[in-house]
Short mmCIF file of all heavy atoms in Angstrom, two decimals:
data_model
loop_
_atom_site.label_atom_id
_atom_site.label_comp_id
_atom_site.label_asym_id
_atom_site.label_seq_id
_atom_site.Cartn_x
_atom_site.Cartn_y
_atom_site.Cartn_z
N VAL A 193 131.04 -45.74 272.37
CA VAL A 193 131.77 -44.48 272.65
C VAL A 193 133.18 -44.58 272.11
O VAL A 193 133.84 -45.62 272.21
CB VAL A 193 131.80 -44.21 274.20
CG1 VAL A 193 132.56 -42.98 274.52
CG2 VAL A 193 130.37 -44.16 274.72
N PRO A 194 133.68 -43.51 271.52
CA PRO A 194 135.01 -43.58 270.89
C PRO A 194 136.06 -44.01 271.92
O PRO A 194 135.98 -43.66 273.17
CB PRO A 194 135.21 -42.11 270.45
CG PRO A 194 133.87 -41.54 270.25
CD PRO A 194 132.98 -42.20 271.23
N GLU A 195 137.01 -44.74 271.43
CA GLU A 195 138.01 -45.34 272.33
C GLU A 195 138.86 -44.21 272.98
O GLU A 195 139.29 -44.34 274.10
CB GLU A 195 139.02 -46.24 271.49
CG GLU A 195 140.02 -47.00 272.29
CD GLU A 195 139.35 -47.97 273.22
OE1 GLU A 195 138.28 -48.49 272.85
OE2 GLU A 195 139.97 -48.40 274.19
N GLU A 196 139.07 -43.21 272.28
CA GLU A 196 139.83 -42.04 272.83
C GLU A 196 139.10 -41.50 274.11
O GLU A 196 139.73 -41.15 275.12
CB GLU A 196 139.95 -40.93 271.80
CG GLU A 196 140.68 -39.68 272.34
CD GLU A 196 140.72 -38.54 271.31
OE1 GLU A 196 140.20 -38.76 270.21
OE2 GLU A 196 141.25 -37.47 271.60
N THR A 197 137.79 -41.40 274.03
CA THR A 197 137.01 -40.93 275.17
C THR A 197 137.11 -41.95 276.32
O THR A 197 137.23 -41.54 277.48
CB THR A 197 135.59 -40.63 274.80
OG1 THR A 197 135.50 -39.74 273.70
CG2 THR A 197 134.73 -40.14 276.00
N LEU A 198 136.92 -43.20 276.02
CA LEU A 198 137.03 -44.22 277.06
C LEU A 198 138.36 -44.18 277.81
O LEU A 198 138.43 -44.25 279.08
CB LEU A 198 136.80 -45.60 276.51
CG LEU A 198 135.42 -45.86 275.88
CD1 LEU A 198 135.37 -47.26 275.27
CD2 LEU A 198 134.38 -45.73 276.92
N ILE A 199 139.47 -44.04 277.04
CA ILE A 199 140.78 -44.03 277.63
C ILE A 199 140.91 -42.79 278.52
O ILE A 199 141.50 -42.82 279.62
CB ILE A 199 141.87 -44.10 276.57
CG1 ILE A 199 141.83 -45.44 275.79
CG2 ILE A 199 143.26 -43.86 277.15
CD1 ILE A 199 142.80 -45.53 274.64
N SER A 200 140.44 -41.66 278.00
CA SER A 200 140.59 -40.44 278.80
C SER A 200 139.79 -40.52 280.09
O SER A 200 140.22 -40.11 281.13
CB SER A 200 140.01 -39.24 277.95
OG SER A 200 140.16 -38.08 278.67
N VAL A 201 138.55 -41.02 280.03
CA VAL A 201 137.74 -41.21 281.25
C VAL A 201 138.42 -42.15 282.27
O VAL A 201 138.47 -41.88 283.43
CB VAL A 201 136.31 -41.70 280.88
CG1 VAL A 201 135.54 -42.06 282.17
CG2 VAL A 201 135.57 -40.66 280.08
N HIS A 202 138.96 -43.28 281.70
CA HIS A 202 139.61 -44.22 282.56
C HIS A 202 140.83 -43.59 283.28
O HIS A 202 141.12 -43.79 284.43
CB HIS A 202 140.03 -45.44 281.73
CG HIS A 202 140.83 -46.47 282.50
ND1 HIS A 202 142.19 -46.46 282.62
CD2 HIS A 202 140.41 -47.52 283.21
CE1 HIS A 202 142.58 -47.41 283.32
NE2 HIS A 202 141.55 -48.12 283.71
N ASP A 203 141.61 -42.83 282.44
CA ASP A 203 142.84 -42.25 283.06
C ASP A 203 142.43 -41.19 284.13
O ASP A 203 143.16 -41.15 285.15
CB ASP A 203 143.65 -41.53 281.94
CG ASP A 203 144.28 -42.53 280.94
OD1 ASP A 203 144.35 -43.72 281.37
OD2 ASP A 203 144.73 -42.11 279.90
N LEU A 204 141.42 -40.45 283.92
CA LEU A 204 140.98 -39.47 284.93
C LEU A 204 140.49 -40.18 286.26
O LEU A 204 140.80 -39.73 287.30
CB LEU A 204 139.85 -38.55 284.38
CG LEU A 204 140.29 -37.56 283.31
CD1 LEU A 204 139.07 -36.79 282.81
CD2 LEU A 204 141.32 -36.58 283.85
N PHE A 205 139.77 -41.26 286.07
CA PHE A 205 139.35 -42.04 287.23
C PHE A 205 140.61 -42.56 288.00
O PHE A 205 140.66 -42.53 289.22
CB PHE A 205 138.43 -43.18 286.90
CG PHE A 205 136.98 -42.81 286.79
CD1 PHE A 205 136.27 -42.98 285.67
CD2 PHE A 205 136.35 -42.28 287.95
CE1 PHE A 205 134.91 -42.65 285.61
CE2 PHE A 205 134.99 -41.92 287.92
CZ PHE A 205 134.30 -42.06 286.77
N GLN A 206 141.52 -43.06 287.23
CA GLN A 206 142.74 -43.59 287.87
C GLN A 206 143.55 -42.48 288.57
O GLN A 206 144.04 -42.68 289.69
CB GLN A 206 143.67 -44.26 286.81
CG GLN A 206 143.12 -45.54 286.22
CD GLN A 206 143.21 -46.67 287.22
OE1 GLN A 206 144.08 -46.71 288.00
NE2 GLN A 206 142.29 -47.59 287.14
N ALA A 207 143.56 -41.32 287.98
CA ALA A 207 144.32 -40.22 288.57
C ALA A 207 143.59 -39.78 289.89
O ALA A 207 144.26 -39.47 290.90
CB ALA A 207 144.40 -38.99 287.61
N CYS A 208 142.29 -39.75 289.93
CA CYS A 208 141.54 -39.45 291.16
C CYS A 208 141.78 -40.41 292.19
O CYS A 208 141.98 -40.05 293.39
CB CYS A 208 140.06 -39.26 290.83
SG CYS A 208 139.65 -37.92 289.74
N ASN A 209 141.73 -41.71 291.87
CA ASN A 209 142.00 -42.76 292.90
C ASN A 209 143.43 -42.72 293.45
O ASN A 209 143.66 -42.85 294.62
CB ASN A 209 141.74 -44.17 292.31
CG ASN A 209 140.24 -44.38 292.01
OD1 ASN A 209 139.42 -43.82 292.66
ND2 ASN A 209 139.93 -45.15 290.99
N GLN A 210 144.43 -42.54 292.55
CA GLN A 210 145.79 -42.48 293.05
C GLN A 210 146.06 -41.21 293.86
O GLN A 210 146.83 -41.26 294.77
CB GLN A 210 146.72 -42.49 291.82
CG GLN A 210 146.73 -43.89 291.08
CD GLN A 210 147.60 -43.86 289.85
OE1 GLN A 210 148.27 -42.94 289.56
NE2 GLN A 210 147.54 -44.92 289.13
N ALA A 211 145.38 -40.15 293.57
CA ALA A 211 145.62 -38.91 294.27
C ALA A 211 145.19 -38.90 295.71
O ALA A 211 145.63 -38.22 296.56
CB ALA A 211 144.91 -37.71 293.54
N ARG A 212 144.26 -39.89 296.04
CA ARG A 212 143.76 -39.94 297.48
C ARG A 212 144.85 -40.40 298.38
O ARG A 212 144.90 -39.98 299.59
CB ARG A 212 142.57 -40.90 297.54
CG ARG A 212 141.34 -40.40 296.74
CD ARG A 212 140.20 -41.40 296.92
NE ARG A 212 139.02 -41.00 296.16
CZ ARG A 212 137.89 -41.65 296.11
NH1 ARG A 212 137.79 -42.76 296.83
NH2 ARG A 212 136.88 -41.25 295.45
N TYR A 213 145.76 -41.29 297.95
CA TYR A 213 146.71 -41.90 298.86
C TYR A 213 148.15 -41.79 298.39
O TYR A 213 149.04 -42.46 298.93
CB TYR A 213 146.30 -43.35 299.05
CG TYR A 213 144.86 -43.55 299.37
CD1 TYR A 213 143.95 -44.04 298.47
CD2 TYR A 213 144.37 -43.18 300.65
CE1 TYR A 213 142.64 -44.19 298.76
CE2 TYR A 213 143.10 -43.33 300.98
CZ TYR A 213 142.19 -43.82 299.99
OH TYR A 213 140.91 -43.95 300.33
N SER A 214 148.42 -41.03 297.36
CA SER A 214 149.77 -40.79 296.96
C SER A 214 150.14 -39.33 297.24
O SER A 214 149.30 -38.57 297.67
CB SER A 214 149.89 -41.10 295.44
OG SER A 214 149.07 -40.26 294.66
N ARG A 215 151.35 -39.02 297.00
CA ARG A 215 151.78 -37.61 297.23
C ARG A 215 151.07 -36.68 296.30
O ARG A 215 150.70 -37.03 295.16
CB ARG A 215 153.31 -37.47 297.08
CG ARG A 215 153.76 -37.72 295.60
CD ARG A 215 155.32 -37.61 295.50
NE ARG A 215 155.76 -37.74 294.16
CZ ARG A 215 155.81 -36.77 293.28
NH1 ARG A 215 155.48 -35.56 293.68
NH2 ARG A 215 156.27 -36.91 292.07
N HIS A 216 150.93 -35.49 296.71
CA HIS A 216 150.12 -34.43 296.01
C HIS A 216 150.87 -34.01 294.75
O HIS A 216 152.07 -33.95 294.70
CB HIS A 216 149.76 -33.27 296.87
CG HIS A 216 148.82 -33.62 297.95
ND1 HIS A 216 148.55 -32.77 298.99
CD2 HIS A 216 148.09 -34.78 298.16
CE1 HIS A 216 147.71 -33.36 299.80
NE2 HIS A 216 147.37 -34.55 299.25
N SER A 217 150.11 -33.67 293.74
CA SER A 217 150.67 -33.18 292.46
C SER A 217 151.07 -31.72 292.63
O SER A 217 150.60 -31.04 293.50
CB SER A 217 149.69 -33.29 291.32
OG SER A 217 149.25 -34.67 291.18
N SER A 218 151.91 -31.25 291.70
CA SER A 218 152.37 -29.84 291.77
C SER A 218 151.33 -28.93 291.19
O SER A 218 150.39 -29.40 290.50
CB SER A 218 153.74 -29.70 291.05
OG SER A 218 153.60 -30.01 289.70
N ASN A 219 151.61 -27.63 291.36
CA ASN A 219 150.64 -26.62 290.81
C ASN A 219 150.59 -26.74 289.30
O ASN A 219 149.53 -26.64 288.68
CB ASN A 219 151.12 -25.24 291.31
CG ASN A 219 150.20 -24.15 290.76
OD1 ASN A 219 150.42 -23.67 289.65
ND2 ASN A 219 149.22 -23.74 291.54
N GLU A 220 151.75 -26.87 288.70
CA GLU A 220 151.78 -26.94 287.19
C GLU A 220 151.07 -28.17 286.64
O GLU A 220 150.37 -28.13 285.67
CB GLU A 220 153.24 -26.96 286.66
CG GLU A 220 154.01 -25.62 286.94
CD GLU A 220 154.42 -25.46 288.38
OE1 GLU A 220 154.24 -26.46 289.18
OE2 GLU A 220 154.88 -24.35 288.75
N GLN A 221 151.19 -29.35 287.38
CA GLN A 221 150.50 -30.54 286.90
C GLN A 221 149.02 -30.39 287.02
O GLN A 221 148.28 -30.86 286.12
CB GLN A 221 150.96 -31.76 287.78
CG GLN A 221 152.41 -32.14 287.55
CD GLN A 221 152.84 -33.23 288.47
OE1 GLN A 221 152.38 -33.35 289.62
NE2 GLN A 221 153.81 -34.03 288.05
N LEU A 222 148.54 -29.75 288.08
CA LEU A 222 147.03 -29.56 288.19
C LEU A 222 146.53 -28.63 287.07
O LEU A 222 145.49 -28.90 286.45
CB LEU A 222 146.71 -28.98 289.56
CG LEU A 222 147.12 -29.81 290.77
CD1 LEU A 222 146.66 -29.15 292.03
CD2 LEU A 222 146.43 -31.21 290.71
N ILE A 223 147.25 -27.52 286.84
CA ILE A 223 146.82 -26.59 285.73
C ILE A 223 146.84 -27.26 284.41
O ILE A 223 145.92 -27.10 283.57
CB ILE A 223 147.70 -25.37 285.77
CG1 ILE A 223 147.48 -24.58 287.11
CG2 ILE A 223 147.37 -24.44 284.60
CD1 ILE A 223 148.41 -23.36 287.27
N SER A 224 147.87 -28.10 284.13
CA SER A 224 147.92 -28.78 282.84
C SER A 224 146.89 -29.82 282.63
O SER A 224 146.55 -30.24 281.49
CB SER A 224 149.33 -29.43 282.67
OG SER A 224 149.53 -30.43 283.64
N LEU A 225 146.29 -30.33 283.71
CA LEU A 225 145.23 -31.35 283.57
C LEU A 225 143.86 -30.77 283.32
O LEU A 225 142.96 -31.50 282.84
CB LEU A 225 145.18 -32.16 284.91
CG LEU A 225 144.35 -33.44 284.93
CD1 LEU A 225 144.86 -34.40 283.88
CD2 LEU A 225 144.37 -34.10 286.29
N ILE A 226 143.70 -29.45 283.54
CA ILE A 226 142.37 -28.83 283.31
C ILE A 226 141.90 -29.02 281.89
O ILE A 226 140.72 -29.30 281.68
CB ILE A 226 142.37 -27.42 283.80
CG1 ILE A 226 142.57 -27.32 285.34
CG2 ILE A 226 141.13 -26.67 283.45
CD1 ILE A 226 142.64 -25.97 285.88
N PRO A 227 142.71 -28.70 280.82
CA PRO A 227 142.21 -28.87 279.42
C PRO A 227 141.75 -30.29 279.15
O PRO A 227 140.77 -30.44 278.43
CB PRO A 227 143.41 -28.44 278.59
CG PRO A 227 144.23 -27.55 279.50
CD PRO A 227 144.06 -28.04 280.81
N THR A 228 142.44 -31.26 279.73
CA THR A 228 141.98 -32.63 279.47
C THR A 228 140.64 -32.90 280.16
O THR A 228 139.80 -33.61 279.53
CB THR A 228 143.06 -33.63 280.12
OG1 THR A 228 144.31 -33.35 279.54
CG2 THR A 228 142.71 -35.00 279.83
N VAL A 229 140.38 -32.37 281.33
CA VAL A 229 139.11 -32.52 281.94
C VAL A 229 138.02 -31.86 281.15
O VAL A 229 136.96 -32.47 280.90
CB VAL A 229 139.16 -31.95 283.40
CG1 VAL A 229 137.77 -32.07 284.01
CG2 VAL A 229 140.22 -32.64 284.28
N GLU A 230 138.31 -30.66 280.65
CA GLU A 230 137.23 -29.98 279.83
C GLU A 230 136.96 -30.74 278.53
O GLU A 230 135.80 -30.86 278.22
CB GLU A 230 137.75 -28.57 279.50
CG GLU A 230 137.87 -27.63 280.68
CD GLU A 230 138.35 -26.25 280.34
OE1 GLU A 230 139.00 -26.15 279.28
OE2 GLU A 230 138.04 -25.31 281.12
N THR A 231 137.99 -31.16 277.87
CA THR A 231 137.79 -31.98 276.61
C THR A 231 136.98 -33.21 276.87
O THR A 231 136.07 -33.56 276.11
CB THR A 231 139.15 -32.31 275.98
OG1 THR A 231 139.90 -31.05 275.77
CG2 THR A 231 138.96 -33.02 274.62
N THR A 232 137.32 -33.94 277.92
CA THR A 232 136.65 -35.21 278.23
C THR A 232 135.20 -34.94 278.57
O THR A 232 134.25 -35.66 278.11
CB THR A 232 137.29 -35.91 279.44
OG1 THR A 232 138.69 -36.11 279.10
CG2 THR A 232 136.64 -37.24 279.69
N LEU A 233 134.90 -33.89 279.37
CA LEU A 233 133.49 -33.57 279.67
C LEU A 233 132.71 -33.22 278.41
O LEU A 233 131.54 -33.59 278.26
CB LEU A 233 133.47 -32.45 280.70
CG LEU A 233 133.98 -32.79 282.07
CD1 LEU A 233 133.97 -31.61 283.03
CD2 LEU A 233 133.14 -33.92 282.77
#
């Protein structure tokens, strides 16, 4: 699998794990993350 895809998947998993027990992200941060999720999927 391309390295770019692996890094993107890893970063999304890390973001999900950190979001469970860290302070919540802002509205703008969540909206800006949606294109990354769509591209990775």
Side-chain angles (χ1 to χ4, degrees):
V193 177
E195 187 67 25
E196 178 184 359
T197 303
L198 296 177
I199 295 176
S200 180
V201 173
H202 177 271
D203 291 344
L204 289 176
F205 272 122
Q206 290 289 329
C208 293
N209 290 332
Q210 292 177 3
R212 295 181 182 179
Y213 309 106
S214 61
R215 66 181 184 86
H216 291 169
S217 304
S218 63
N219 179 274
E220 292 76 8
Q221 290 175 331
L222 298 180
I223 295 176
S224 64
L225 190 59
I226 293 178
T228 303
V229 176
E230 293 179 338
T231 303
T232 304
L233 293 174

